[in-house]
Amino acid sequence: MKILALVGSNRKKGNTTRIVQLIETRMQSLAQQHDTPLEFETIFLGDLDIHPCRGCRLCFDRGENACPLKDDIVSLRAKMDAVDGLILASPVYVDDVSGLVKTWMDRLAFVCHRPAFSGKCAYPIATVGGSSPNHTLRTMNAALLTWGFHLVGQAGFKMGALASPDEMERYEPEATKVAEALFRAVSQRHASRPALVSLIAFKIQQLAWQREPPDSYDYAYWDGRGWLANERTFYTGHRAHPIKVALARLLGAVIFRFVV
Ligand SMILES: Cc1cc2nc3c(=O)[nH]c(=O)nc-3n(C[C@H](O)[C@H](O)[C@H](O)COP(=O)(O)O)c2cc1C
């Protein structure tokens, strides 16, 4: 099992890092108990050279290889492609994700058009001083869902300016829940049973890309994978219940017609 944790804080001994460490410790002991090899890698986004998106749209129009910014996003994307699960951990900055996380998200915006992470699990985590983490979690959820990830859950940790090491015990139960849920979801391949919201997101995208000019890059991507065929219900083969699939197709069509 390969898990990648992305930390969106420059404080390497800060709240967000400490929560990720709690989750890693718990996942390592679960892996031992279940005799499952676990590779857990933590990457600090602040250590990478990831420039802000220039808005040129070349990634949308001609593919991500046309992006003029040749920096660490390329190797990070390759790492994301190789893992089974992603923990996205951001401190709350002014009620939203940190700039490090937002810059990383913007550079992968083309994945909203060409979802590439189906079959992988994701768990967004927000640490916050005293207010609500919900808006930040919504920002992360929206990106991860549109990119095709299976969302296992979400967790917010209220920690003040900087929790002291002795206070960390308080956060162990919630961190354990995250570790257990992610470990279970990856081991039991929960991503092959997509949630209703994921099936709806697929349907909405399918209807949108069916209307794109056939010579566009996104159309070719969807068409090449067989995703534009009306009978296709998700990016990958799946084990979702047929009633859930039928409901998702209906709701997706209604939302596309009246809301999008
Ligand atoms: C620039 C900045 C903006 C922040 N904005 C908020 C905020 O809107 N609401 C809040 O409750 N805490 C806010 N905080 C506190 C952090 O969210 C909180 O302490 C977080 O756990 C810090 O994580 P870190 O130690 O990993 O950097 C902010 C902190 C900074 C540095």
Side-chain angles (χ1 to χ4, degrees):
M1 180 185 301
K2 286 188 183 175
I3 303 292
L4 174 64
L6 295 181
V7 175
S9 169
N10 276 317
R11 292 209 292 187
K12 289 193 174 172
K13 293 184 179 169
N15 291 338
T16 315
T17 310
R18 289 200 186 132
I19 293 295
V20 167
Q21 284 166 345
L22 285 183
I23 295 168
E24 177 180 2
T25 305
R26 187 66 194 125
M27 285 194 86
Q28 294 289 7
S29 57
L30 284 166
Q32 272 192 347
Q33 273 168 36
H34 292 84
D35 214 7
T36 304
L38 169 65
E39 281 177 43
F40 190 109
E41 184 177 10
T42 298
I43 292 183
F44 293 92
L45 289 174
D47 282 350
L48 303 185
D49 181 34
I50 299 180
H51 293 262
C53 171
R54 290 183 186 166
C56 67
R57 301 187 61 94
L58 285 172
C59 59
F60 291 131
D61 299 339
R62 290 201 228 146
E64 56 267 38
N65 292 337
C67 176
L69 301 170
K70 302 297 176 208
D71 55 20
D72 289 340
I73 200 76
V74 179
S75 56
L76 181 54
R77 165 70 198 275
K79 276 190 190 282
M80 291 172 67
D81 284 338
V83 297
D84 306 299
L86 177 79
I87 295 170
L88 177 58
S90 180
V92 172
Y93 280 2
V94 197
D95 207 28
D96 215 319
V97 292
S98 66
L100 285 172
V101 171
K102 190 64 172 71
T103 300
W104 164 80
M105 266 179 193
D106 292 350
R107 288 293 303 284
L108 293 175
F110 63 86
V111 191
C112 299
H113 288 207
R114 307 189 289 274
F117 297 116
S118 49
K120 298 182 191 300
C121 293
Y123 213 120
I125 305 285
T127 71
V128 63
S131 63
S132 164
N134 290 346
H135 186 261
T136 304
L137 289 167
R138 267 201 301 281
T139 300
M140 294 195 272
N141 278 334
L144 296 168
L145 180 73
T146 324
W147 294 352
F149 279 103
H150 173 75
L151 294 177
V152 178
Q154 60 176 41
F157 294 83
K158 276 193 194 179
M159 306 182 72
L162 184 62
S164 73
D166 344 324
E167 275 179 277
M168 290 307 292
E169 221 174 87
R170 182 189 310 169
Y171 305 106
E172 266 175 22
E174 186 65 21
T176 299
K177 259 198 246 168
V178 174
E180 287 175 353
L182 185 56
F183 188 85
R184 194 170 45 246
V186 173
S187 315
Q188 299 177 3
R189 299 186 48 250
H190 285 189
S192 66
R193 285 214 177 85
L196 182 67
V197 67
S198 301
L199 293 164
I200 293 174
F202 175 86
K203 186 66 202 169
I204 293 171
Q205 290 239 35
Q206 183 186 58
L207 290 167
W209 299 121
Q210 279 172 347
R211 282 154 184 76
E212 275 287 292
D215 59 351
S216 74
Y217 195 90
D218 293 332
Y219 186 99
Y221 183 93
W222 275 71
D223 196 34
R225 284 159 182 74
W227 293 352
L228 293 178
N230 281 327
E231 61 276 14
R232 190 73 185 232
T233 54
F234 200 53
Y235 313 105
T236 50
H238 62 82
R239 294 178 291 153
H241 194 282
I243 294 178
K244 188 157 83 170
V245 175
L247 184 62
R249 283 168 73 87
L250 178 69
L251 290 173
V254 170
I255 293 168
F256 181 75
R257 174 84 176 76
F258 297 106
V259 183
V260 179

